[in-house]
Every structure is written in C-alpha cells, then in structure tokens.
Amino acid sequence: MSEIPELINDLALILVVAGIVTLIFKRLKQPLVLGYIVAGFLVSPNMPYTASVVDHNSVHLWADIGVMFLLFSLGLDFSFKKIVRMGASPIISTCTIIFFMSMLGVLVGQTFHWSKMDCIFLGGMLAMSSTTIIYKAFDDLGLRQQQFAGMVMSVLILEDILAIVMMVMLSAVASGNDLEGGQMIEAIVRIAFFLILWLVVGIFAIPLFLRRVRSLINNEVLLVVSLGLCCAMAVFSTKVGFSSAFGAFIMGSILAETVEAERIEKLVEPVKNLFGAIFFVSVGMLVDPKILVDYALPIVLLVLTILVGQAVFGTISFMLGGESLKSAMRCGFSMAQIGEFSFIIASLGLSLGVISDFLYPVVVAVSVTTTFLTPYMIRLATPAYNKLERHLPKKLIVSMNHLSMSHEHTQQQSNWKRLLTQMSINTVVYSILSSAAIALMFTFALPFMHKLLPGEELRPYANAITGILTILIIAPFLRAMVMKKNKSVEFKALWAESNRNRLPLLFTILVRVIIAVAFIFYVCNFLTHFASALLICFGIVVVVGIVFSRWIKHRSITLERLFIQNLRSREIEAQVHGKKRPLYEGRLLDRDIHIADFEVPADSLWMGQTLKQLNLGQKYGVLISSIMRGGRRVNIPDGDYVIFPYDVLQVIGSDAQFTTFRDALEKERFGEDPDVEMREMKLRQLVIGSDSPFIGKTLIESGIRDLYSCMVVGLEEGKESLSSFRPNRRFQEGDIIWVVGELEALDALMKA
C-alpha cells in the first residue's frame, strides 16, 4: 500500500480544521481571516493538544503562493485610472495616515529598545489598515453605501498600493541594512522605472493578445492564461530584484484594464481563496502563547497606539483631505486595525531574516484584538463626535468644517502647469521605453549579430546593423517625446497670449530635442569609436530626420492610439453595457447627497411590483435614477416599471436615507423555507378506478393542477413512450396516467 506524502496529510489537516473553525466564525459573524489564524494556531506545534503540521517548508511554500495570488487579485480589483480620478483628497489623507502611524510604530519599538529593523518593519505594519476587515465590517453594519465609507475604501486602495512600494523599499533597506538617502532614492527610481515600463508595455501588449485570441478562449483557458501571466510576471520581478508579490500585483493591474477583467476575477477567486486560506493559516502557526505572555505589555500598548492613533491622526488626515469633522471622525475611527498586509510585511521581514522572531506573533495578536474592536470603533465615531461637538466652541467647528470643505477640485490649473506636467510625463515615459528598448537590443540582439557575423573584420557591420535596428525601434518614441504637445491647446494659447512665452516654449522643445539626441549619441557611442562632436552632429541629423519622417510619424501615432484604446477598453465595454456611473455624480449640490447601487435579492418581496406600488420616494426619501438589468441600463424609469430579482437599483439620497432603504430591502424578503426537504418533486403512476372522481372530466375540470398542485405528464397506452394527455380528452376508467408533484400533494391526489 503506497504512503501518502506528508504534504497531503498536512493539507487535509489544515483544510478540515480551517473549515470547521471558519464555520464557527461565520456563525459568530466574525471575519474569516481570524478563523484562519485560529485554525493555524490549532494545527501548529505550539498547540500540544491537537494534531500538528509536519512538513512546515511545503506549507510555507504554498503560503508564499497564496500571497502572490492575493496580490494578483488585489491588482485585478485596482485601476490606476481610479487613482487619477480620485483627485488629491484621498492621496493627502493616505500619505498623512501612513506617515503618522509609521512614526508611532517606530517610537513604540524604540520605547522597548527593539532593534532598528524591528522598529522600521513595525512602523510599516501599523500603517496598513485591513481592506478585508473594514469592508466586512461596513457590510455587516449596513454602512457600505454611505458616503464616508466610499472615502475610506479609496484610502484603503491607495494604502494597498503604497504597501507594495513599501515592501520593495523595505527589501532594499534590509538587503543593505543601510538607510542612506542615496540608496533610498535609487530604490525609488528603480521602482518607478520598472513600474512605468511594465505598465506601459503590459497595457499595450496583453489586451492586444487577449483581443486576438478572444474567440478561442473559454473559462478554463482564460484561467490558465491569467495564472500563467501572473506567475511569469512574478518570476520576472524576482529576476530584476523585486518580490514575486510585486510582480503579481503589477500583472493584476495590467489585466484590470482589459475587457476580461471581471471574468478573470471571478475565475481566479476560488484559487485565491484556497491559497489565501493556507497563507493565513501559516500566519496562525507562528503564534506562540509563551511569546504573547512575555510581550503582553507591548501588545496592549500597540493596540492602544492603533486605536488612539487612527482615531486622532486618521481624523486629522481625512480633514486635511477635505472631509468635514464628523465625516473625518467616522473615517478615522473605521481604520483602527491592522490586517493582511501587516502579515505580508511581517512575512517579508522573516524571510529576509531581518526582524526578530517575537515580532510576528505580537503583530498577529494586535491584529486579532483590533479586528474584534473594529465594529465598536465604527459605532463609537458618531457618539464621540456628538460629545466633542458639545464641548468645542461652535465657531471652531464651523471654521474646521469650512476649512475642510474648501478643498474643491474644480479650480482650473494654469496652462503652464498643465503643459509642463503633460510634457514631463511624456518625456519620462518615452525615455523609459527607449532605455528598455536599447537595453534589450544590446543584451540580446548585439551578441546574436556578433555570432551571425563573427570575426573582428565583420564586427563593425554587426554593430552598425544593431545600431540601425535600435534607432528604428526607438524612433517612434523619440518623435513622440519631441513633438507631442507642441500643437496642444495649452501650447497654442500660451504662444498667442504673450511674446514673453515664446522663448520658454521654444526652450521646452530644445530640452526634449537634447534628450532625444542623447539617446542617439549613446547608441552610436556604445557601438562606434567616432569623435564625440561627430556623434552629436549625427544625432542631431537623425533626430531631425525622425521628426520630419512621415513613416515614423504614422508609426508613432498608430502605437499611441492603440495604447489609448487598450487603456480605455474596459471603460468602453462599461459604456456599451451601461455599467458606467453617470457624470453628474460628482456635481450633486448637497454634500450629504450621493449615489449608491443596491442589488435586489432573489427572494425579495419587491419583485413583481412596480415602482409606483413600492412608492420608495415617499417611504424612504430616495430617488431611483436608473436600473441595471442584464447588461442594459434603464435611465429614469417610470412608475410602471416592474422590479425583478438581481436588478441593480442606482439610488440618489443621503446616508440616513440609504440606511433606511437598505434595511427595508434586506428585511422584506420571503426568507428561508423551513421545509425545503419536503419540496422534492416525485413522479407517480395513477390508475383511474371505477370510483375515481375524475371519470368523465377533462384535465381542466379535474382540478389536478389547481386543487392538488400536480401535473399530468403523460398517458400510458401500451406504446414505447407516453402519450400526451389532450386538454379536451375526458378521463375514462382504466386510464393510466403519470403525475408529477410534491410528496404531500401526490398523497392527497392518490386519496381522492
């Protein structure tokens, strides 16, 4: 009899225990993440009374895969366009929160004389609130559609992004154990370079590939292709010095811009849930009760630091971002916990061997405690504001609200600012693309040409061919760098506005020409031994030729249009299927009035009723602006419009009105059927006897359907198959009919 590998035994133990514990936590309405951590503790060697995992290395390997898929799924739910559209408000709040909480974490670590790396990693852990836990708490408390919840979720998305960057920077710091400014700047530049390169190339190439093979891809193939791209990017990320999780997140962000994003997200979710569960179980396996007892004081102090720090500094941060005092307090109090990213950062520190063993279980204990307190902190925000309002002068509160509400995003930027910003972005992006193309050509094409044309006498020809090909490849990028925005509205307005603007505008063109010439100079200087003056002249000639080349102009415009089309493909698909939110959403005059989506449950008592019958405006004070059904949006539905299950109602109202509306939508349901087992349909044979009340009656007159809730499916006449029972045929003695119905209904029919 063959032996089962230890890994299979361990997985069986982990999944069975995790399943039982998470069922209990689901019953207690607690986050499943905590259930996984408790399950991990139960199967760890630190728990002597239960069976333990044997093959720790394999479990941790699966946990690393879990981190990778978790971040891949996070990337799928993320869009850089969303960040751009958020404006400055969430960015200000996020950066402020991360700064304050990181400093508090470092100070707490230094208070207990922990090592420098322990303090730095602790600061990173305390800065990351839990997206999963907050989302679950908002859902359980019925607050997800309220306005402040949307602001919190925006900040959490940005925190997750900055957590990825923080992980890369912490890895760079840990590798050198040095905090010199030069190294930090170098790490940031490397992150920015590869981030922009991967996103631009990925958004250009991957949607194009998926579009070409769309007719060949079913769910199975799409899942394999998506996970393959995720793993390939993770491997490539590690090759250039970043973590596999960073690469997985980037690939998820690229796929998030494709039409297939939602489909991929649904397909990947079971894989993410499985490996994610193993990761959180592995977190729980590191919990040591002895360490928790020894470090009880730091744990209590860290919990208080998070609760008080987020309540105070979180409120200040959201006010700086433009929220009123009440809204800012609700946002700040909601973020008073740490979660999954704190575990990931702790795992990173352990894998790099730069943090102490006690820090991981301490952070887990802090996370568990703050998670349990999260619903209470969210509820505490409004009473705390009411108490603060009674004690603070009214003028001060009005001034604070006026200050926060004055952060409007409608102020027009100057033409100079917009023009220079767009030119700078274009120059950076096209410089990165040109640098990457040159690096690839010199790394792969040049050695290949040297092998193809061996010998010193043929080396100049090999270099020349490589140089020409390289210049042709980067020519569209250099042309776009030099020419783009020279005919923009801002450029023309500034040129016509004043003669003083013309020299600076020409200078912006000159700077970009110099950068383009520098790329040509570098390629020629690397491959030839001509004098610098000659190379510079050659570079200028080449750049001028690139600028005036019609073929390169056409190629540059084609590439850019294709990139923009790929970038907007998901947005176009949303417009086609009516999923895009209305433009007027951000222009509602009342700060408390906004838009939210509500899905009609499958068992809702509202289904089948018209909007006029439901009278939602009179009952709850809300307005139904549109209804989404089956990929089609109906705008401004009239009172005769009938509600169906799974309709998505787009509602306009205030937070208080949304709360009442959501409660009614959730409560007015049929509820679960307590006798669901009795609803099984059975097939029975019925012989019409001489005393049957159905003799001489037609099917309608018999009442078999109306009175007994059964259905005649056929008449047995000795043939190979049943005959259909005609509606006008009358029952006769000896007829053999076959009837379908529920058990009780069939019993009643047989006794008739």
Side-chain angles (χ1 to χ4, degrees):
M1 185 175 178
S2 60
E3 290 289 333
I4 297 178
E6 290 179 345
L7 175 61
I8 304 299
N9 288 326
D10 290 340
L11 283 177
L13 177 63
I14 287 172
L15 295 178
V16 168
V17 174
I20 295 172
V21 174
T22 49
L23 283 173
I24 296 173
F25 272 66
K26 190 73 174 175
R27 179 72 175 177
L28 298 175
K29 296 184 178 180
Q30 296 299 322
L32 296 185
V33 173
L34 294 181
Y36 292 136
I37 293 173
V38 171
F41 172 70
L42 294 176
V43 300
S44 70
N46 299 317
M47 184 65 177
Y49 306 107
T50 57
S52 300
V53 169
V54 177
D55 191 356
H56 293 271
N57 292 331
S58 295
V59 172
H60 287 302
L61 175 62
W62 281 50
D64 291 338
I65 298 174
V67 173
M68 189 170 69
F69 286 150
L70 278 172
L71 292 180
F72 178 62
S73 297
L74 178 65
L76 284 171
D77 197 36
F78 169 80
S79 172
F80 282 96
K81 290 185 294 185
K82 292 180 184 177
I83 300 299
V84 174
R85 290 169 185 162
M86 284 177 188
S89 180
I91 297 175
I92 293 171
S93 302
T94 305
C95 294
T96 310
I97 289 172
I98 289 179
F99 173 77
F100 281 126
M101 295 308 297
S102 297
M103 291 300 101
L104 286 176
V106 171
L107 289 175
V108 171
Q110 290 178 344
T111 302
F112 294 104
H113 305 290
W114 292 346
S115 69
K116 182 189 294 184
M117 295 307 297
D118 283 342
C119 294
I120 293 172
F121 272 80
L122 180 63
M125 297 174 209
L126 262 59
M128 296 296 118
S129 297
S130 172
T131 305
T132 305
I133 293 168
I134 294 176
Y135 187 88
K136 177 70 166 59
F138 282 160
D139 208 28
D140 291 343
L141 296 174
L143 302 173
R144 190 155 53 87
Q145 287 84 10
Q146 298 204 3
Q147 192 171 20
F148 86 95
M151 184 65 179
V152 171
M153 297 310 296
S154 299
V155 169
L156 289 171
I157 290 173
L158 286 169
E159 275 195 355
D160 292 343
I161 303 308
L162 291 178
I164 303 292
V165 178
M166 185 182 294
M167 288 171 60
V168 178
M169 293 180 63
L170 288 173
S171 300
V173 171
S175 61
N177 254 340
D178 190 5
L179 293 176
E180 293 295 329
Q183 185 185 9
M184 295 295 293
I185 293 174
E186 181 184 352
I188 293 172
V189 170
R190 287 182 69 246
I191 293 171
F193 179 86
F194 283 104
L195 184 64
I196 295 172
L197 176 64
W198 289 340
L199 285 174
V200 172
V201 175
I203 291 173
F204 180 84
I206 291 177
L208 189 63
F209 164 73
L210 292 177
R211 196 178 303 134
R212 294 283 176 84
V213 299
R214 186 172 292 162
S215 60
L216 304 175
I217 289 183
N218 57 17
N219 286 345
E220 181 180 356
V221 175
L222 184 60
L223 175 63
V224 173
V225 169
S226 303
L227 295 182
L229 290 172
C230 168
C231 294
M233 194 63 174
V235 171
F236 187 66
S237 178
T238 57
K239 295 294 183 183
V240 296
F242 300 127
S243 66
S244 58
F246 181 65
F249 172 80
I250 294 299
M251 181 51 66
S253 301
I254 293 170
L255 291 174
E257 304 298 342
T258 65
V259 175
E260 290 80 6
E262 293 182 7
R263 187 177 165 197
I264 294 173
E265 194 173 355
K266 291 178 181 178
L267 292 173
V268 170
E269 187 174 7
V271 181
K272 176 204 73 174
N273 291 341
L274 172 62
F275 285 97
I278 296 174
F279 165 70
F280 289 117
V281 168
S282 71
V283 170
M285 289 171 59
L286 295 174
V287 176
D288 188 345
K290 185 177 182 302
I291 291 179
L292 299 184
V293 173
D294 294 340
Y295 288 87
L297 180 59
I299 290 172
V300 172
L301 184 58
L302 286 171
V303 170
L304 292 175
T305 300
I306 292 170
L307 297 180
V308 178
Q310 287 285 11
V312 175
F313 295 115
T315 298
I316 294 173
S317 300
F318 279 100
M319 287 190 66
L320 292 175
E323 294 297 302
S324 64
L325 177 59
K326 182 177 182 180
S327 178
M329 288 185 68
R330 298 183 78 185
C331 294
F333 278 62
S334 301
M335 299 186 67
Q337 79 294 117
I338 58 176
E340 52 274 10
F341 256 114
S342 301
F343 304 146
I344 295 172
I345 292 174
S347 299
L348 174 66
L350 278 182
S351 64
L352 296 173
V354 294
I355 65 172
S356 305
D357 292 337
F358 71 84
L359 194 57
Y360 205 127
V362 165
V363 169
V364 171
V366 171
S367 174
V368 171
T369 306
T370 54
T371 298
F372 278 118
L373 295 175
T374 294
Y376 302 102
M377 287 294 292
I378 295 175
R379 292 192 186 102
L380 182 63
T382 301
Y385 169 78
N386 294 334
K387 189 169 184 179
L388 189 64
E389 188 181 32
R390 288 195 297 269
H391 289 81
L392 287 178
K394 290 186 177 180
K395 289 185 178 180
L396 178 60
I397 293 180
V398 171
S399 300
M400 293 169 69
N401 287 337
H402 178 74
L403 177 66
S404 64
M405 294 179 188
S406 63
H407 289 251
E408 297 294 335
H409 305 299
T410 58
Q411 184 180 359
Q412 291 294 326
Q413 295 177 318
S414 68
N415 286 332
W416 269 116
K417 185 175 181 181
R418 285 202 302 272
L419 181 64
L420 293 177
T421 300
Q422 293 166 357
M423 284 183 174
S424 300
I425 293 173
N426 289 334
T427 303
V428 169
V429 170
Y430 288 120
S431 295
I432 289 174
L433 291 174
S434 300
S435 301
I438 292 170
L440 289 174
M441 290 298 292
F442 288 176
T443 304
F444 299 104
L446 186 58
F448 175 76
M449 293 304 299
H450 286 165
K451 289 182 180 180
L452 195 64
L453 300 172
E456 288 297 326
E457 67 280 0
L458 296 177
R459 178 176 289 269
Y461 297 102
N463 290 351
I465 294 172
T466 304
I468 292 171
L469 291 175
T470 303
I471 292 173
L472 287 175
I473 290 173
I474 66 174
F477 306 143
L478 298 184
R479 188 194 183 280
M481 182 195 303
V482 173
M483 298 301 294
K484 194 167 174 59
K485 297 302 175 185
N486 292 346
K487 295 182 180 180
S488 63
V489 175
E490 295 85 2
F491 192 98
K492 291 178 179 178
L494 289 168
W495 185 273
E497 184 179 305
S498 172
N499 290 334
R500 295 179 180 180
N501 291 336
R502 296 185 179 183
L503 188 59
L505 288 171
L506 292 174
F507 182 73
T508 61
I509 298 175
L510 179 62
V511 169
R512 288 176 285 153
V513 169
I514 292 173
I515 295 173
V517 170
F519 278 105
I520 303 297
F521 175 84
Y522 176 79
V523 172
C524 297
N525 188 58
F526 188 87
L527 298 174
T528 66
H529 301 286
F530 296 121
S532 297
L534 182 61
L535 292 179
I536 292 173
C537 293
F538 177 75
I540 294 173
V541 172
V542 171
V543 169
V544 171
I546 288 173
V547 168
F548 290 100
S549 171
R550 289 186 174 274
W551 180 83
I552 294 176
K553 176 182 179 180
H554 175 73
R555 187 65 180 162
S556 175
I557 294 173
T558 301
L559 291 174
E560 185 172 347
R561 285 178 178 174
L562 184 58
F563 175 80
I564 296 298
Q565 181 185 3
N566 289 344
L567 187 63
R568 295 188 62 245
S569 59
R570 190 174 182 185
E571 186 177 348
I572 294 170
E573 185 261 350
Q575 290 177 350
V576 171
H577 292 96
K579 300 176 184 176
K580 193 175 180 183
R581 300 293 286 271
L583 294 175
Y584 66 81
E585 181 179 7
R587 301 181 182 177
L588 294 173
L589 298 178
D590 191 335
R591 279 182 65 88
D592 196 35
I593 300 296
H594 57 108
I595 297 175
D597 293 339
F598 296 85
E599 184 177 80
V600 178
D603 56 349
S604 175
L605 292 173
W606 295 5
M607 62 181 182
Q609 298 189 58
T610 63
L611 292 176
K612 186 186 297 182
Q613 292 171 329
L614 292 172
N615 199 15
L616 302 177
Q618 290 293 327
K619 289 181 180 178
Y620 312 112
V622 299
L623 300 173
I624 308 298
S625 61
S626 64
I627 298 176
M628 182 75 180
R629 177 185 299 166
R632 179 174 174 267
R633 181 181 297 279
V634 178
N635 292 321
I636 319 298
D638 58 27
D640 295 326
Y641 199 86
V642 179
I643 297 297
F644 281 79
Y646 302 114
D647 277 354
V648 177
L649 310 180
Q650 193 167 87
V651 185
I652 300 176
S654 65
D655 287 342
Q657 291 166 344
F658 283 165
T659 300
T660 308
F661 180 79
R662 179 184 180 277
D663 291 342
L665 185 62
E666 291 296 322
K667 289 178 182 177
E668 296 182 24
R669 303 169 71 166
F670 288 107
E672 295 184 3
D673 188 351
D675 301 320
V676 65
E677 291 84 2
M678 305 301 294
R679 302 301 181 195
E680 182 184 8
M681 298 283 284
K682 293 184 177 294
L683 178 66
R684 289 278 183 88
Q685 185 187 65
L686 176 63
V687 179
I688 304 297
S690 57
D691 57 346
S692 174
F694 305 135
I695 293 178
K697 295 181 179 180
T698 63
L699 193 59
I700 297 176
E701 294 171 346
S702 68
I704 291 178
R705 179 188 288 270
D706 298 332
L707 299 178
Y708 298 98
S709 300
C710 295
M711 181 176 66
V712 176
V713 297
L715 176 67
E716 189 172 317
E717 295 181 318
K719 302 177 183 178
E720 186 176 346
S721 59
L722 295 176
S723 303
S724 60
F725 199 98
R726 297 184 304 278
N728 58 352
R729 184 186 185 281
R730 299 186 180 276
F731 286 102
Q732 301 174 8
E733 183 181 352
D735 281 348
I736 302 175
I737 60 174
W738 289 86
V739 188
V740 169
E742 295 179 6
L743 185 61
E744 290 186 2
L746 289 173
D747 288 342
L749 179 64
M750 296 298 174
K751 294 176 182 177

